[in-house]
Amino acid sequence: MARVYNWQIRREMSYWYPENRPQKQFAAVFDINKCIACQTCTLACKTTWTSGKGQEYMLWNNVESKPYGCYPLAWDLKLLKQLGPQQWNGGGYEGRTIFEAAPAGQRVLGWRPDDHDFSYPNVGEDDCAGKIENGTNLHFPHLTWFFYLARICNHCTYPACLASCPRGSIYKRPEDGIVLVDQGRCRGYRECTQGCPYKKVFFNPLTGTSEKCIACYPKFENKLQQQCFLNCIGKIRMAGYISQPENAIPENPIDYLVHVRKVALPLFPQFGLEPNVYYIPPIHAPDSFLRQMFGPGAAAAIETYRKAPDDPDLAGLLSLFGCSEQVMPRWKRENDTIIGAEENGAEIVRVPLREPVYIREAFDKKYNVARVNCP
Amino acid sequence: MRPLYRFVVISISFTFLLPAGCQKTPPPPLTEVAAVKASSIPAKSDAAAWNAAPEFVAKLILQDLVEPRLMTASTPEVRVRAIRTDREIAFRLEWEDATRNDLADPGNFCDACAIQLPQKFEPTVPAPQMGEAGKTVEITYWNAGWQAKVEGRGDAITDIYPNATVDHYPFDAKSLEKGSPQQQEMAKRYAPARALGNAMAGPRDTPVQDLIADGPGTITPAAANGSKGSGQRTAKGWAVVLSRRLPEGIAAAANPQIAFAVWDGAKEEVGAKKMRTAWINFNVKDQP
Ligand code: SF4
Ligand code: SF4
């Protein structure tokens, strides 16, 4: 095992290979507060990439209702239990990562789902935490809560799938950090399906190889956002590149949200993979739950996010989500206009900070007709 | 630097010390796999011809040298017989295995076995665990799941989950004539491993694959896949016949070696997690 630096847990850790960061790292921000679990992302991926034989059960993108939803079954609970106490001290993680907790003979701590674990693609949908007792009324913060967690492969900086594969069939692209299974080399050992803590590698029983989210690389190579990003009804997603925290560029939307404002956080950073999908945590779920899921920055992230209405930069950047199919590596605000741009500053799209609101009279006097609320 | 170790082969004869005066002396166990010369190779594991070949009982040990390691011993031994012609050599491997595991899915693994030979016969043998850099080993691998496919298991989700239903695959669109080159091409697009020619992905006409390796993690399909084989369930486990071309130079080699491996699917054995032998003396000289 080599020693590598993981900024998300603010310390060195053990990893199977030496630190070898890509020239650029694909990353994304998902705003959980905007997700309505319509599963359009899930279907966008499904119809684009996994309509083949042996791929029937694969959801490279899925949306689950937390706290009870999961695909595959109990993917998070099982590993959290295996890993034991996960102690943070300030922003630093003092517990063990899944690499450091690897049992004898294994490369990482993990478990392998079997086919029954994939039998319920949306188990726990809309189940809320707690009971609705007699006399319950609307109360803030909510006494009972749930939220939607949209998940794709995190194209981790320290992928456990890659570390687990004894054949080196999984590789991380130096040009963009996208993690891929070499379909010509894989022999279907399923070490990766055991190793990935997010359970985002799937065994194809008809080709005998494992397959996973490819970050729609044919699109991303052409500066286009991924299918599940483009089709998102709630406009919760933005794709781009992330820098190391010490090199953060405020004009880079991902860097701004993750490093500058610290409003978007990694999923289970304590596992140690430096995952590259960052979540704006839901504002209505308890801090203890969010802390376990997104690390110690959850409460501060929510505080910042709540103030967005009075924060034109943050609100402005969030309104840029879903406004163009093109990847927007740069952004800026000019008064009440937000501009998404290429790396060289060339404008891609501009949106108003606040969409104008038009109120129409219920009765149209000119045509002498009552208006209805449909287009 | 090349590894300092060399696997100099030492044959150890295990002779049982029997008390003086004992009337019957059981034949000492074989210390080598000895191939009997014949005019043809039996294709089936139950052919009478196998009785002419002596049975070598190979003790299996854990693969516990490289991660992922097998931590709990499973199949204790594999019984081996070998028959050869001037061009080919066949092995019958038999081992006990209570369950037939021939369906791979996310959580289920297939029974399998393999034989390993050095590519070149030199005074020092390659590392017994998949060879080493510059000292390639040749592996002939049989898999129970492939056997089931060769025997007719289909390529549909209902062949794995009989109650599954699927609305539609894009390559089954009415506009594509079934079996036409366009339709086949479209189907391939949705099976990336097959599109790349990965032998894992089929279509499969043999349950055997020829492989080479230069150390752990390097296993690669050999240039040609000429070996044959077939496996049958027996009352207690599996009997598998594997036949391959007679390795070049083996008849003249001073002290040829061979190794075997067995995977028990029920124990989730796959890849590096296997029971294997060390190198075993291999006698292919013309038998008297
Ligand atoms: S999320 Fe899982 S599959 Fe994706 S890179 Fe990380 S370890 Fe690999
Ligand atoms: S990025 Fe592309 S491949 Fe990955 S989940 Fe989204 S649509 Fe699927």
Side-chain angles (χ1 to χ4, degrees), chain A residues 16 51-53 55-57 104-105 107 112-115 166-167 183-187 189-191 203 205-207 209, chain B residues 67-69 104-106 108-109 149 155 157 160-161 169-170 190 193 196 198 200-201 209 211 217 219 268 270-271 273:
Chain A
W16 195 258
S51 330
K53 288 186 178 177
Q55 298 177 322
E56 293 83 354
Y57 80 102
R107 293 174 170 215
R112 186 187 304 103
D114 68 22
D115 45 2
R167 297 183 42 67
Q183 291 300 317
R185 186 165 170 79
C186 175
R187 286 186 67 81
Y189 296 163
R190 282 151 279 172
E191 297 296 342
F203 177 70
L206 293 175
T207 61
T209 59
Chain B
E67 277 86 3
R69 291 181 271 151
D105 66 26
N108 288 297
F109 296 84
K149 286 199 176 177
D155 212 11
I157 192 71
I160 306 177
Y161 305 105
Y169 295 106
Y190 288 87
L196 281 173
N198 185 337
M200 296 295 296
Q209 194 183 17
L211 299 151
I219 204 162
E268 301 189 357
V270 67
K273 291 183 290 200

Short mmCIF file of all heavy atoms in Angstrom, two decimals, chain A residues 16 51-53 55-57 104-105 107 112-115 166-167 183-187 189-191 203 205-207 209, chain B residues 67-69 104-106 108-109 149 155 157 160-161 169-170 190 193 196 198 200-201 209 211 217 219 268 270-271 273:
data_model
loop_
_atom_site.label_atom_id
_atom_site.label_comp_id
_atom_site.label_asym_id
_atom_site.label_seq_id
_atom_site.Cartn_x
_atom_site.Cartn_y
_atom_site.Cartn_z
N TRP A 16 -3.93 1.54 -2.56
CA TRP A 16 -3.24 0.44 -3.22
C TRP A 16 -2.15 0.92 -4.17
O TRP A 16 -1.14 0.27 -4.37
CB TRP A 16 -4.26 -0.44 -3.96
CG TRP A 16 -3.69 -1.75 -4.35
CD1 TRP A 16 -3.27 -2.12 -5.58
CD2 TRP A 16 -3.44 -2.87 -3.48
NE1 TRP A 16 -2.77 -3.40 -5.56
CE2 TRP A 16 -2.86 -3.89 -4.28
CE3 TRP A 16 -3.63 -3.12 -2.12
CZ2 TRP A 16 -2.48 -5.12 -3.77
CZ3 TRP A 16 -3.25 -4.35 -1.61
CH2 TRP A 16 -2.68 -5.33 -2.43
N SER A 51 -29.58 -0.63 -22.31
CA SER A 51 -30.79 -1.32 -22.79
C SER A 51 -30.46 -2.69 -23.34
O SER A 51 -31.26 -3.29 -24.04
CB SER A 51 -31.47 -0.54 -23.90
OG SER A 51 -31.28 0.81 -23.77
N GLY A 52 -29.27 -3.20 -23.06
CA GLY A 52 -28.85 -4.48 -23.64
C GLY A 52 -29.17 -5.66 -22.76
O GLY A 52 -29.62 -5.52 -21.62
N LYS A 53 -28.89 -6.85 -23.29
CA LYS A 53 -29.11 -8.07 -22.52
C LYS A 53 -28.08 -8.14 -21.39
O LYS A 53 -26.90 -7.86 -21.62
CB LYS A 53 -28.97 -9.28 -23.42
CG LYS A 53 -30.13 -9.45 -24.37
CD LYS A 53 -29.97 -10.75 -25.13
CE LYS A 53 -31.15 -10.95 -26.07
NZ LYS A 53 -30.98 -12.18 -26.86
N GLN A 55 -28.08 -6.23 -18.95
CA GLN A 55 -28.02 -4.91 -18.32
C GLN A 55 -29.37 -4.53 -17.71
O GLN A 55 -29.53 -3.41 -17.22
CB GLN A 55 -27.63 -3.85 -19.35
CG GLN A 55 -26.26 -4.08 -19.97
CD GLN A 55 -25.94 -3.06 -21.04
OE1 GLN A 55 -26.79 -2.67 -21.82
NE2 GLN A 55 -24.69 -2.64 -21.09
N GLU A 56 -30.32 -5.45 -17.76
CA GLU A 56 -31.69 -5.12 -17.37
C GLU A 56 -31.75 -4.49 -15.98
O GLU A 56 -32.51 -3.55 -15.75
CB GLU A 56 -32.58 -6.38 -17.41
CG GLU A 56 -32.80 -6.96 -18.80
CD GLU A 56 -31.67 -7.86 -19.27
OE1 GLU A 56 -30.64 -7.97 -18.58
OE2 GLU A 56 -31.82 -8.47 -20.35
N TYR A 57 -30.98 -5.02 -15.05
CA TYR A 57 -31.08 -4.55 -13.66
C TYR A 57 -30.17 -3.35 -13.38
O TYR A 57 -30.22 -2.79 -12.29
CB TYR A 57 -30.75 -5.69 -12.69
CG TYR A 57 -29.26 -5.93 -12.51
CD1 TYR A 57 -28.60 -5.46 -11.38
CD2 TYR A 57 -28.52 -6.61 -13.48
CE1 TYR A 57 -27.23 -5.67 -11.22
CE2 TYR A 57 -27.17 -6.82 -13.32
CZ TYR A 57 -26.52 -6.35 -12.19
OH TYR A 57 -25.18 -6.54 -12.03
N ALA A 104 -7.64 -9.09 6.19
CA ALA A 104 -6.50 -9.86 5.67
C ALA A 104 -6.90 -10.54 4.37
O ALA A 104 -7.98 -11.12 4.28
CB ALA A 104 -6.07 -10.90 6.70
N GLY A 105 -6.04 -10.44 3.38
CA GLY A 105 -6.29 -11.11 2.11
C GLY A 105 -7.08 -10.28 1.11
O GLY A 105 -7.18 -10.64 -0.05
N ARG A 107 -8.09 -6.31 -0.65
CA ARG A 107 -7.48 -5.02 -0.93
C ARG A 107 -8.27 -3.88 -0.32
O ARG A 107 -7.71 -2.82 -0.05
CB ARG A 107 -7.37 -4.82 -2.43
CG ARG A 107 -6.38 -5.78 -3.08
CD ARG A 107 -6.41 -5.65 -4.58
NE ARG A 107 -5.33 -6.39 -5.20
CZ ARG A 107 -4.69 -5.99 -6.30
NH1 ARG A 107 -5.02 -4.87 -6.89
NH2 ARG A 107 -3.73 -6.71 -6.81
N ARG A 112 -20.24 -7.82 -1.31
CA ARG A 112 -20.73 -7.97 -2.69
C ARG A 112 -22.23 -8.20 -2.70
O ARG A 112 -22.70 -9.17 -2.12
CB ARG A 112 -20.02 -9.12 -3.38
CG ARG A 112 -20.38 -9.21 -4.85
CD ARG A 112 -19.86 -10.43 -5.54
NE ARG A 112 -18.43 -10.57 -5.41
CZ ARG A 112 -17.83 -11.40 -4.58
NH1 ARG A 112 -18.55 -12.19 -3.80
NH2 ARG A 112 -16.53 -11.46 -4.52
N PRO A 113 -22.99 -7.29 -3.34
CA PRO A 113 -24.43 -7.52 -3.42
C PRO A 113 -24.72 -8.74 -4.30
O PRO A 113 -23.99 -8.99 -5.26
CB PRO A 113 -24.97 -6.25 -4.08
CG PRO A 113 -23.82 -5.40 -4.43
CD PRO A 113 -22.55 -6.10 -4.09
N ASP A 114 -25.76 -9.50 -3.96
CA ASP A 114 -26.16 -10.55 -4.90
C ASP A 114 -27.42 -10.11 -5.62
O ASP A 114 -27.91 -9.00 -5.43
CB ASP A 114 -26.26 -11.92 -4.21
CG ASP A 114 -27.42 -11.99 -3.23
OD1 ASP A 114 -28.36 -11.18 -3.36
OD2 ASP A 114 -27.39 -12.86 -2.35
N ASP A 115 -27.93 -10.99 -6.47
CA ASP A 115 -29.03 -10.55 -7.33
C ASP A 115 -30.26 -10.11 -6.54
O ASP A 115 -30.98 -9.22 -6.96
CB ASP A 115 -29.38 -11.60 -8.41
CG ASP A 115 -29.44 -13.00 -7.87
OD1 ASP A 115 -29.26 -13.18 -6.65
OD2 ASP A 115 -29.68 -13.92 -8.67
N PRO A 166 -7.65 -7.20 -9.45
CA PRO A 166 -6.30 -7.76 -9.46
C PRO A 166 -5.68 -7.77 -10.86
O PRO A 166 -4.50 -8.01 -11.01
CB PRO A 166 -6.50 -9.19 -8.93
CG PRO A 166 -7.92 -9.52 -9.21
CD PRO A 166 -8.68 -8.22 -9.21
N ARG A 167 -6.50 -7.51 -11.89
CA ARG A 167 -5.99 -7.57 -13.26
C ARG A 167 -5.70 -6.20 -13.84
O ARG A 167 -5.31 -6.09 -14.99
CB ARG A 167 -7.04 -8.19 -14.19
CG ARG A 167 -7.39 -9.58 -13.90
CD ARG A 167 -8.37 -10.16 -14.88
NE ARG A 167 -8.17 -9.85 -16.28
CZ ARG A 167 -7.15 -10.26 -17.03
NH1 ARG A 167 -6.21 -10.98 -16.47
NH2 ARG A 167 -7.07 -9.95 -18.30
N GLN A 183 -13.60 -3.11 -21.16
CA GLN A 183 -14.46 -4.25 -21.51
C GLN A 183 -13.72 -5.32 -22.30
O GLN A 183 -14.21 -6.43 -22.45
CB GLN A 183 -15.68 -3.75 -22.30
CG GLN A 183 -16.64 -2.94 -21.45
CD GLN A 183 -17.20 -3.74 -20.29
OE1 GLN A 183 -17.57 -4.90 -20.43
NE2 GLN A 183 -17.24 -3.13 -19.12
N GLY A 184 -12.54 -4.99 -22.80
CA GLY A 184 -11.76 -6.00 -23.49
C GLY A 184 -10.94 -6.83 -22.53
O GLY A 184 -10.51 -7.94 -22.85
N ARG A 185 -10.70 -6.31 -21.34
CA ARG A 185 -9.77 -6.95 -20.41
C ARG A 185 -10.46 -7.62 -19.21
O ARG A 185 -9.94 -8.55 -18.61
CB ARG A 185 -8.78 -5.89 -19.92
CG ARG A 185 -7.68 -6.44 -19.07
CD ARG A 185 -6.52 -5.51 -18.86
NE ARG A 185 -5.67 -6.08 -17.83
CZ ARG A 185 -4.81 -7.07 -18.02
NH1 ARG A 185 -4.65 -7.57 -19.21
NH2 ARG A 185 -4.10 -7.56 -17.01
N CYS A 186 -11.64 -7.11 -18.85
CA CYS A 186 -12.33 -7.60 -17.65
C CYS A 186 -12.62 -9.10 -17.78
O CYS A 186 -13.04 -9.56 -18.83
CB CYS A 186 -13.64 -6.82 -17.47
SG CYS A 186 -14.65 -7.43 -16.11
N ARG A 187 -12.40 -9.85 -16.70
CA ARG A 187 -12.73 -11.27 -16.68
C ARG A 187 -13.85 -11.58 -15.68
O ARG A 187 -14.05 -12.73 -15.29
CB ARG A 187 -11.49 -12.13 -16.40
CG ARG A 187 -10.56 -12.20 -17.60
CD ARG A 187 -9.41 -13.15 -17.41
NE ARG A 187 -9.78 -14.55 -17.32
CZ ARG A 187 -10.04 -15.34 -18.37
NH1 ARG A 187 -9.97 -14.86 -19.59
NH2 ARG A 187 -10.35 -16.61 -18.18
N TYR A 189 -14.39 -11.03 -12.42
CA TYR A 189 -14.11 -11.57 -11.09
C TYR A 189 -15.01 -10.95 -10.01
O TYR A 189 -15.11 -11.45 -8.91
CB TYR A 189 -12.65 -11.32 -10.70
CG TYR A 189 -11.62 -12.01 -11.55
CD1 TYR A 189 -10.29 -11.59 -11.53
CD2 TYR A 189 -11.95 -13.09 -12.36
CE1 TYR A 189 -9.32 -12.22 -12.29
CE2 TYR A 189 -10.99 -13.72 -13.14
CZ TYR A 189 -9.67 -13.28 -13.10
OH TYR A 189 -8.71 -13.89 -13.85
N ARG A 190 -15.58 -9.82 -10.29
CA ARG A 190 -16.50 -9.12 -9.37
C ARG A 190 -15.81 -8.65 -8.08
O ARG A 190 -16.44 -8.53 -7.04
CB ARG A 190 -17.73 -9.99 -9.06
CG ARG A 190 -18.72 -9.97 -10.19
CD ARG A 190 -19.53 -11.24 -10.28
NE ARG A 190 -18.79 -12.29 -10.95
CZ ARG A 190 -19.18 -13.55 -11.04
NH1 ARG A 190 -20.32 -13.91 -10.51
NH2 ARG A 190 -18.46 -14.44 -11.68
N GLU A 191 -14.51 -8.42 -8.15
CA GLU A 191 -13.82 -7.79 -7.02
C GLU A 191 -14.26 -6.33 -6.92
O GLU A 191 -14.36 -5.77 -5.84
CB GLU A 191 -12.30 -7.86 -7.19
CG GLU A 191 -11.70 -9.26 -7.22
CD GLU A 191 -11.86 -10.03 -5.93
OE1 GLU A 191 -12.14 -9.41 -4.88
OE2 GLU A 191 -11.74 -11.27 -5.98
N PHE A 203 -22.34 -6.30 -12.48
CA PHE A 203 -21.88 -7.46 -13.26
C PHE A 203 -22.92 -7.78 -14.33
O PHE A 203 -24.11 -7.90 -14.02
CB PHE A 203 -21.69 -8.66 -12.32
CG PHE A 203 -21.29 -9.92 -13.04
CD1 PHE A 203 -20.03 -10.03 -13.60
CD2 PHE A 203 -22.16 -11.00 -13.14
CE1 PHE A 203 -19.64 -11.19 -14.27
CE2 PHE A 203 -21.78 -12.16 -13.79
CZ PHE A 203 -20.52 -12.25 -14.36
N PRO A 205 -24.36 -10.52 -16.40
CA PRO A 205 -24.28 -11.99 -16.42
C PRO A 205 -24.25 -12.57 -17.82
O PRO A 205 -23.91 -13.74 -17.99
CB PRO A 205 -25.56 -12.43 -15.69
CG PRO A 205 -26.50 -11.28 -15.77
CD PRO A 205 -25.66 -10.04 -15.90
N LEU A 206 -24.58 -11.78 -18.82
CA LEU A 206 -24.57 -12.34 -20.18
C LEU A 206 -23.26 -12.09 -20.91
O LEU A 206 -22.87 -12.88 -21.77
CB LEU A 206 -25.77 -11.83 -20.97
CG LEU A 206 -27.09 -12.38 -20.39
CD1 LEU A 206 -28.29 -11.79 -21.09
CD2 LEU A 206 -27.14 -13.89 -20.45
N THR A 207 -22.55 -11.03 -20.56
CA THR A 207 -21.22 -10.87 -21.17
C THR A 207 -20.12 -11.34 -20.21
O THR A 207 -18.96 -11.43 -20.60
CB THR A 207 -20.93 -9.41 -21.54
OG1 THR A 207 -20.96 -8.62 -20.36
CG2 THR A 207 -21.92 -8.86 -22.54
N THR A 209 -18.80 -9.75 -17.81
CA THR A 209 -17.90 -8.66 -17.40
C THR A 209 -18.67 -7.65 -16.57
O THR A 209 -19.90 -7.65 -16.56
CB THR A 209 -17.30 -7.94 -18.63
OG1 THR A 209 -18.36 -7.40 -19.41
CG2 THR A 209 -16.46 -8.87 -19.49
N GLU B 67 -3.00 -10.64 -3.09
CA GLU B 67 -4.36 -10.20 -2.85
C GLU B 67 -5.11 -10.10 -4.17
O GLU B 67 -4.51 -9.62 -5.14
CB GLU B 67 -4.39 -8.84 -2.14
CG GLU B 67 -4.21 -8.89 -0.66
CD GLU B 67 -2.74 -8.89 -0.23
OE1 GLU B 67 -1.87 -8.79 -1.12
OE2 GLU B 67 -2.48 -8.99 0.97
N PRO B 68 -6.38 -10.47 -4.19
CA PRO B 68 -7.14 -11.07 -3.11
C PRO B 68 -6.78 -12.54 -2.90
O PRO B 68 -6.71 -13.31 -3.85
CB PRO B 68 -8.59 -10.94 -3.59
CG PRO B 68 -8.49 -10.91 -5.08
CD PRO B 68 -7.18 -10.27 -5.41
N ARG B 69 -6.54 -12.87 -1.64
CA ARG B 69 -6.11 -14.23 -1.30
C ARG B 69 -7.32 -15.07 -0.90
O ARG B 69 -8.32 -14.55 -0.44
CB ARG B 69 -5.13 -14.19 -0.14
CG ARG B 69 -3.79 -13.58 -0.50
CD ARG B 69 -2.86 -13.60 0.66
NE ARG B 69 -3.00 -12.40 1.47
CZ ARG B 69 -2.75 -12.34 2.78
NH1 ARG B 69 -2.41 -13.43 3.43
NH2 ARG B 69 -2.88 -11.22 3.44
N ALA B 104 -23.28 -17.80 -13.54
CA ALA B 104 -22.66 -16.59 -12.96
C ALA B 104 -23.67 -15.46 -12.99
O ALA B 104 -24.29 -15.19 -14.01
CB ALA B 104 -21.42 -16.21 -13.76
N ASP B 105 -23.86 -14.82 -11.86
CA ASP B 105 -24.69 -13.62 -11.79
C ASP B 105 -24.03 -12.71 -10.76
O ASP B 105 -22.93 -13.01 -10.31
CB ASP B 105 -26.16 -13.98 -11.51
CG ASP B 105 -26.39 -14.59 -10.14
OD1 ASP B 105 -25.60 -14.32 -9.22
OD2 ASP B 105 -27.38 -15.33 -9.98
N PRO B 106 -24.66 -11.60 -10.36
CA PRO B 106 -23.92 -10.68 -9.49
C PRO B 106 -23.31 -11.34 -8.25
O PRO B 106 -22.22 -10.96 -7.82
CB PRO B 106 -24.98 -9.66 -9.11
CG PRO B 106 -25.88 -9.61 -10.30
CD PRO B 106 -25.93 -11.02 -10.82
N ASN B 108 -23.18 -14.99 -7.74
CA ASN B 108 -22.90 -16.42 -7.87
C ASN B 108 -21.75 -16.67 -8.84
O ASN B 108 -21.65 -16.03 -9.89
CB ASN B 108 -24.15 -17.17 -8.33
CG ASN B 108 -25.18 -17.24 -7.22
OD1 ASN B 108 -24.94 -17.82 -6.16
ND2 ASN B 108 -26.30 -16.59 -7.43
N PHE B 109 -20.92 -17.63 -8.46
CA PHE B 109 -19.69 -17.90 -9.22
C PHE B 109 -19.70 -19.33 -9.73
O PHE B 109 -20.38 -20.19 -9.17
CB PHE B 109 -18.48 -17.67 -8.30
CG PHE B 109 -18.36 -16.23 -7.88
CD1 PHE B 109 -19.08 -15.75 -6.81
CD2 PHE B 109 -17.58 -15.36 -8.61
CE1 PHE B 109 -19.00 -14.41 -6.44
CE2 PHE B 109 -17.49 -14.03 -8.25
CZ PHE B 109 -18.21 -13.56 -7.16
N LYS B 149 -23.45 -23.25 -21.19
CA LYS B 149 -23.83 -22.50 -22.40
C LYS B 149 -23.61 -23.35 -23.65
O LYS B 149 -24.43 -23.36 -24.56
CB LYS B 149 -23.03 -21.20 -22.51
CG LYS B 149 -23.52 -20.16 -21.51
CD LYS B 149 -23.10 -18.76 -21.87
CE LYS B 149 -23.71 -17.78 -20.88
NZ LYS B 149 -23.33 -16.41 -21.09
N ASP B 155 -29.14 -17.22 -24.16
CA ASP B 155 -28.46 -15.96 -23.96
C ASP B 155 -29.45 -14.87 -23.54
O ASP B 155 -29.23 -13.70 -23.78
CB ASP B 155 -27.82 -15.57 -25.30
CG ASP B 155 -26.54 -14.80 -25.09
OD1 ASP B 155 -26.08 -14.75 -23.93
OD2 ASP B 155 -26.03 -14.22 -26.07
N ILE B 157 -32.27 -13.12 -20.63
CA ILE B 157 -32.44 -12.91 -19.18
C ILE B 157 -33.32 -14.01 -18.60
O ILE B 157 -33.14 -14.44 -17.46
CB ILE B 157 -32.99 -11.49 -18.90
CG1 ILE B 157 -32.90 -11.14 -17.42
CG2 ILE B 157 -34.41 -11.32 -19.37
CD1 ILE B 157 -31.51 -10.91 -16.92
N ILE B 160 -31.73 -17.01 -17.13
CA ILE B 160 -31.20 -16.89 -15.78
C ILE B 160 -32.35 -16.75 -14.79
O ILE B 160 -32.38 -17.40 -13.75
CB ILE B 160 -30.26 -15.67 -15.67
CG1 ILE B 160 -29.18 -15.74 -16.75
CG2 ILE B 160 -29.64 -15.60 -14.29
CD1 ILE B 160 -28.26 -14.53 -16.77
N TYR B 161 -33.28 -15.86 -15.12
CA TYR B 161 -34.45 -15.63 -14.25
C TYR B 161 -35.69 -15.94 -15.07
O TYR B 161 -36.16 -15.09 -15.82
CB TYR B 161 -34.47 -14.18 -13.77
CG TYR B 161 -33.19 -13.76 -13.09
CD1 TYR B 161 -32.27 -12.93 -13.73
CD2 TYR B 161 -32.89 -14.23 -11.81
CE1 TYR B 161 -31.09 -12.58 -13.11
CE2 TYR B 161 -31.70 -13.87 -11.19
CZ TYR B 161 -30.80 -13.05 -11.85
OH TYR B 161 -29.63 -12.70 -11.25
N TYR B 169 -35.89 -4.75 -26.49
CA TYR B 169 -34.48 -4.37 -26.66
C TYR B 169 -34.39 -3.58 -27.97
O TYR B 169 -35.05 -3.96 -28.95
CB TYR B 169 -33.59 -5.60 -26.76
CG TYR B 169 -33.54 -6.45 -25.52
CD1 TYR B 169 -34.19 -7.68 -25.47
CD2 TYR B 169 -32.83 -6.05 -24.40
CE1 TYR B 169 -34.14 -8.48 -24.33
CE2 TYR B 169 -32.77 -6.84 -23.26
CZ TYR B 169 -33.43 -8.05 -23.23
OH TYR B 169 -33.37 -8.83 -22.12
N PRO B 170 -33.54 -2.57 -28.01
CA PRO B 170 -33.46 -1.77 -29.24
C PRO B 170 -33.12 -2.61 -30.47
O PRO B 170 -33.56 -2.32 -31.57
CB PRO B 170 -32.35 -0.76 -28.95
CG PRO B 170 -32.21 -0.74 -27.47
CD PRO B 170 -32.68 -2.06 -26.95
N TYR B 190 -24.87 -3.17 -27.86
CA TYR B 190 -25.39 -3.21 -26.49
C TYR B 190 -24.71 -4.29 -25.66
O TYR B 190 -25.18 -4.62 -24.58
CB TYR B 190 -26.91 -3.39 -26.52
CG TYR B 190 -27.60 -2.13 -27.00
CD1 TYR B 190 -27.81 -1.89 -28.35
CD2 TYR B 190 -28.00 -1.16 -26.08
CE1 TYR B 190 -28.41 -0.73 -28.79
CE2 TYR B 190 -28.60 0.01 -26.52
CZ TYR B 190 -28.80 0.23 -27.87
OH TYR B 190 -29.39 1.39 -28.29
N ALA B 193 -18.51 -5.76 -24.17
CA ALA B 193 -17.40 -6.72 -24.08
C ALA B 193 -17.36 -7.59 -25.33
O ALA B 193 -16.28 -7.92 -25.84
CB ALA B 193 -17.55 -7.59 -22.83
N LEU B 196 -15.92 -5.77 -28.27
CA LEU B 196 -14.46 -5.65 -28.23
C LEU B 196 -13.76 -6.99 -28.42
O LEU B 196 -12.54 -7.08 -28.31
CB LEU B 196 -14.02 -5.03 -26.90
CG LEU B 196 -14.18 -3.52 -26.80
CD1 LEU B 196 -13.88 -3.04 -25.39
CD2 LEU B 196 -13.26 -2.81 -27.79
N ASN B 198 -13.95 -9.59 -26.45
CA ASN B 198 -13.54 -10.23 -25.20
C ASN B 198 -14.13 -11.65 -25.17
O ASN B 198 -15.35 -11.81 -25.23
CB ASN B 198 -14.06 -9.40 -24.01
CG ASN B 198 -13.58 -9.93 -22.67
OD1 ASN B 198 -13.23 -11.11 -22.54
ND2 ASN B 198 -13.56 -9.07 -21.67
N MET B 200 -14.63 -13.59 -22.92
CA MET B 200 -15.55 -13.85 -21.81
C MET B 200 -17.00 -13.74 -22.28
O MET B 200 -17.90 -14.36 -21.73
CB MET B 200 -15.37 -12.81 -20.70
CG MET B 200 -14.04 -12.83 -20.03
SD MET B 200 -13.75 -14.35 -19.15
CE MET B 200 -15.02 -14.32 -17.89
N ALA B 201 -17.23 -12.90 -23.29
CA ALA B 201 -18.58 -12.47 -23.61
C ALA B 201 -19.27 -13.36 -24.65
O ALA B 201 -20.41 -13.11 -24.99
CB ALA B 201 -18.54 -11.02 -24.12
N GLN B 209 -10.73 -22.25 -22.44
CA GLN B 209 -10.00 -21.11 -22.99
C GLN B 209 -8.50 -21.30 -22.79
O GLN B 209 -8.06 -21.74 -21.71
CB GLN B 209 -10.45 -19.82 -22.29
CG GLN B 209 -9.99 -18.57 -23.04
CD GLN B 209 -10.36 -17.28 -22.32
OE1 GLN B 209 -10.67 -17.27 -21.14
NE2 GLN B 209 -10.30 -16.18 -23.04
N LEU B 211 -4.94 -19.62 -22.26
CA LEU B 211 -4.49 -18.35 -21.70
C LEU B 211 -2.98 -18.40 -21.50
O LEU B 211 -2.39 -19.48 -21.41
CB LEU B 211 -5.16 -18.11 -20.34
CG LEU B 211 -6.69 -18.04 -20.38
CD1 LEU B 211 -7.29 -18.50 -19.07
CD2 LEU B 211 -7.13 -16.62 -20.68
N GLY B 217 -2.11 -11.47 -12.13
CA GLY B 217 -2.81 -10.32 -12.69
C GLY B 217 -2.56 -10.10 -14.16
O GLY B 217 -3.04 -9.13 -14.73
N ILE B 219 -3.03 -12.49 -16.68
CA ILE B 219 -3.60 -13.53 -17.55
C ILE B 219 -4.25 -12.89 -18.78
O ILE B 219 -4.94 -11.88 -18.69
CB ILE B 219 -4.57 -14.43 -16.75
CG1 ILE B 219 -4.71 -15.77 -17.42
CG2 ILE B 219 -5.91 -13.77 -16.55
CD1 ILE B 219 -5.28 -16.84 -16.51
N GLU B 268 -17.52 -18.91 -3.54
CA GLU B 268 -17.21 -17.61 -4.16
C GLU B 268 -15.76 -17.55 -4.64
O GLU B 268 -15.12 -16.49 -4.59
CB GLU B 268 -17.53 -16.45 -3.21
CG GLU B 268 -18.99 -16.42 -2.80
CD GLU B 268 -19.39 -15.18 -2.03
OE1 GLU B 268 -18.52 -14.34 -1.75
OE2 GLU B 268 -20.57 -15.07 -1.72
N VAL B 270 -13.02 -17.33 -7.33
CA VAL B 270 -12.93 -16.79 -8.69
C VAL B 270 -11.56 -16.12 -8.82
O VAL B 270 -11.01 -15.64 -7.83
CB VAL B 270 -14.07 -15.76 -8.94
CG1 VAL B 270 -13.90 -14.52 -8.08
CG2 VAL B 270 -14.20 -15.35 -10.40
N GLY B 271 -11.01 -16.12 -10.03
CA GLY B 271 -9.75 -15.42 -10.25
C GLY B 271 -8.67 -15.92 -9.32
O GLY B 271 -8.38 -17.11 -9.22
N LYS B 273 -8.68 -16.09 -6.18
CA LYS B 273 -9.16 -16.85 -5.02
C LYS B 273 -9.46 -18.28 -5.47
O LYS B 273 -10.53 -18.57 -5.99
CB LYS B 273 -10.39 -16.17 -4.43
CG LYS B 273 -10.03 -14.82 -3.77
CD LYS B 273 -11.21 -14.15 -3.12
CE LYS B 273 -12.19 -13.66 -4.12
NZ LYS B 273 -13.10 -12.62 -3.66
#
